[in-house]
Amino acid sequence: MMEKTWRWFGKKDKITLPMLRQIGVEGIVTALHDIPNGEIWTIEAINALKSYIESYGLRWSVVESLPVCEAIKYGGTEREQLIENYKVSLTNLGKCGIKTVCYNFMPVIDWIRTDLQYLCPDGTSSLYYDRIRFAYFDMKILEREGAEKDYTEEELHKVSELDQVITEKEKDDLIDTIIVKTQGFVNGNIKEGDKEPVVLFKRLLTLYKDINRDILRENMCHFLSAIMPVCEEYGVNMCVHPDDPPFQVLGLPRIVTNEEDIAWFLNAVDNPHNGLTFCAGSLSAGEHNDTRELAKKFAKRTHFIHLRSTAAMPGGNFIESSHLAGRGHIIDLIRIFEKENPGLPMRIDHGRMMLGDEDKGYNPGYSFYGRMLALAQVEGMMTVVDDEIKRQMKL
């Protein structure tokens, strides 16, 4: 069955490896978080963390992530040197026996939410995306040129209404949520403590002023073509994470949003080491996507799975739902992957905040009790599927 993994943020993570062993985790998903983006991961540094993880009876299953620097994405002058550094890091990971690397090719901003603790009826809290509040951030806080063209007349009217009542604290919270707390621990572009994060963010956006969808695709193809020889030599599987949410934002091109996008990058560099991280949550956040159909189509080229689910709400909003509900259809995905590509590493993604999780200072979406509950739910589903497979084999 799928390998049960957990995203762990290194020795400074408040969730320890002994805690993870106790709840049934088998593999660790992590990175060398202290090394700045673009610098080489040395064999010594990789082996030190690998040995530490193994000392607790676990294994380093997946790198998430070895970040792709912005200059690679927009094609900056330093692109080729950054790609060479990336190839050395991949070589070193392969030599150390770590063979799966999850990454993304989203310009500037990674996953987007407008509320990190949206209160649910049962008293837990969840991550939430409010389209009108995001539009407010886009037009009124960033003051992005031409932003109004991306929204309907009804949405523009609602933004104007919000502008009459929103408080300064709510504005600060939007900035903190959208470009600081959800980004600093993921892509390192803007970190907590940075002064004038809006100014820094707007500066990053200008780097993509002349980058459209086709150019970003070309740059992704260039990057993948350059690193595939290393992946082939050392058996390293690259698996890109879908855009989250899977639609265009802030005037930036997003190129891993749907079936056509996924088919494009897999065919553009048609190598078995060029694959997908199947994130059920990211994909299900777009009502145009059916996760079950996507899994059937791309299971063979999937190297890593994120199991979470979202529920669509009115007005283009969505919420991270229970792992038993929503548009992710997780038990169906388990059935599909165990039939088409069994034994892949799977991690529980984005658990609810519950039972005091909210006071522990965890990274947004990466609670302990909430993810532990989700792991138990998914492990139950995996057991059901395993029993179904055994029954079928006896027939």
Side-chain angles (χ1 to χ4, degrees):
M1 296 297 289
M2 293 176 177
E3 180 188 20
K4 295 174 290 182
T5 71
W6 185 280
R7 192 171 191 185
W8 177 70
F9 295 98
K11 296 178 182 179
K12 296 179 182 178
D13 196 325
K14 294 178 175 64
I15 301 170
T16 66
L17 297 180
M19 292 166 67
L20 298 183
R21 281 208 69 190
Q22 290 186 40
I23 64 172
V25 171
E26 298 164 337
I28 296 300
V29 177
T30 193
L32 299 182
H33 293 286
D34 56 331
I35 296 181
N37 291 358
E39 293 191 9
I40 290 172
W41 290 16
T42 66
I43 287 178
E44 292 74 20
I46 295 166
N47 271 332
L49 184 57
K50 181 172 182 270
S51 297
Y52 180 80
I53 292 168
E54 290 173 349
S55 72
Y56 289 96
L58 298 162
R59 66 184 292 265
W60 188 354
S61 302
V62 179
V63 170
E64 187 176 350
S65 62
L66 180 58
V68 178
C69 293
E70 297 297 334
I72 295 176
K73 296 174 185 176
Y74 65 77
T77 56
E78 64 271 47
R79 173 173 68 170
E80 299 310 317
Q81 183 57 58
L82 289 169
I83 290 176
E84 288 304 310
N85 289 357
Y86 204 99
K87 289 162 66 176
V88 175
S89 294
L90 285 179
T91 297
N92 292 341
L93 284 166
K95 288 180 176 178
C96 294
I98 302 169
K99 305 290 189 176
T100 305
V101 177
C102 173
Y103 71 104
N104 77 69
F105 219 80
M106 289 178 260
V108 180
I109 191 166
D110 205 292
W111 56 285
I112 300 171
R113 302 294 184 274
T114 56
D115 193 335
L116 302 179
Q117 293 191 23
Y118 183 87
L119 191 62
C120 302
D122 61 3
T124 63
S125 65
S126 188
L127 302 172
Y128 185 75
Y129 175 85
D130 185 305
R131 182 165 172 81
I132 299 305
R133 286 189 172 262
F134 185 77
Y136 182 91
F137 167 81
D138 189 5
M139 291 190 289
K140 302 295 185 179
I141 295 176
L142 285 185
E143 298 179 322
R144 180 172 65 88
E145 184 178 354
E148 66 280 355
K149 297 176 184 177
D150 293 345
Y151 304 98
T152 66
E153 287 297 324
E154 182 182 0
E155 289 169 340
L156 294 174
H157 178 68
K158 288 180 179 179
V159 169
S160 296
E161 289 182 331
L162 177 60
D163 193 35
Q164 301 303 310
V165 297
I166 193 169
T167 66
E168 290 302 315
K169 182 182 183 307
E170 287 176 309
K171 294 178 188 178
D172 290 341
D173 286 345
L174 270 180
I175 294 168
D176 198 40
T177 296
I178 294 172
I179 61 175
V180 180
K181 284 185 176 175
T182 58
Q183 304 304 311
F185 75 96
V186 175
N187 61 28
N189 285 337
I190 296 175
K191 303 178 181 66
E192 291 198 59
D194 283 346
K195 295 181 180 179
E196 300 184 313
V198 172
V199 174
L200 292 172
F201 190 75
K202 291 172 75 170
R203 193 174 300 152
L204 285 167
L205 289 178
T206 63
L207 297 172
Y208 289 85
K209 179 171 60 73
D210 299 318
I211 305 300
N212 60 25
R213 179 180 176 81
D214 290 337
I215 295 173
L216 188 63
R217 275 184 163 187
E218 289 174 11
N219 291 345
M220 184 181 187
C221 185
H222 177 81
F223 166 71
L224 287 170
S225 297
I227 65 172
M228 280 301 110
V230 173
C231 294
E232 288 182 336
E233 183 174 357
Y234 293 98
V236 175
N237 289 325
M238 297 294 295
C239 39
V240 71
H241 190 287
D243 299 336
D244 184 9
F247 45 77
Q248 312 308 302
V249 295
L250 303 175
L252 296 166
R254 309 269 268 190
I255 58 172
V256 191
T257 66
N258 57 26
E259 179 180 338
E260 189 269 336
D261 285 347
I262 296 169
W264 179 86
F265 85 80
L266 292 177
N267 291 329
V269 182
D270 191 10
N271 186 303
H273 296 286
N274 171 32
L276 175 68
T277 293
F278 194 99
C279 180
S282 298
L283 292 168
S284 67
E287 293 190 74
H288 55 282
N289 289 325
D290 183 325
T291 57
R292 296 161 295 189
E293 292 305 314
L294 293 174
K296 290 174 186 175
K297 190 171 184 65
F298 300 113
K300 296 294 187 183
R301 292 288 290 272
T302 294
H303 300 310
F304 183 33
I305 304 169
H306 288 181
L307 290 184
R308 62 180 173 89
S309 186
T310 60
M313 302 179 76
N317 303 342
F318 64 85
I319 190 169
E320 306 263 359
S321 70
S322 162
H323 286 63
L324 298 174
R327 300 185 69 253
H329 303 292
I330 290 177
I331 192 167
D332 291 332
L333 297 184
I334 295 171
R335 289 186 176 111
I336 293 165
F337 281 109
E338 290 303 340
K339 178 182 178 182
E340 301 294 335
N341 196 356
L344 291 173
M346 168 281 300
R347 78 167 172 87
I348 295 302
D349 201 6
H350 293 185
R352 296 280 181 98
M353 288 285 191
M354 60 190 300
L355 303 174
D357 275 333
E358 62 275 7
D359 299 325
K360 301 296 191 301
Y362 299 139
N363 287 327
Y366 291 94
S367 60
F368 179 63
Y369 288 122
R371 280 191 291 167
M372 183 172 69
L373 171 63
L375 179 60
Q377 292 171 328
V378 170
E379 190 168 14
M381 288 186 263
M382 289 169 58
T383 301
V384 168
V385 173
D386 186 44
D387 184 62
E388 291 172 351
I389 292 171
K390 289 175 180 176
R391 288 172 182 268
Q392 291 170 3
M393 291 174 65
K394 290 179 181 179
L395 294 178

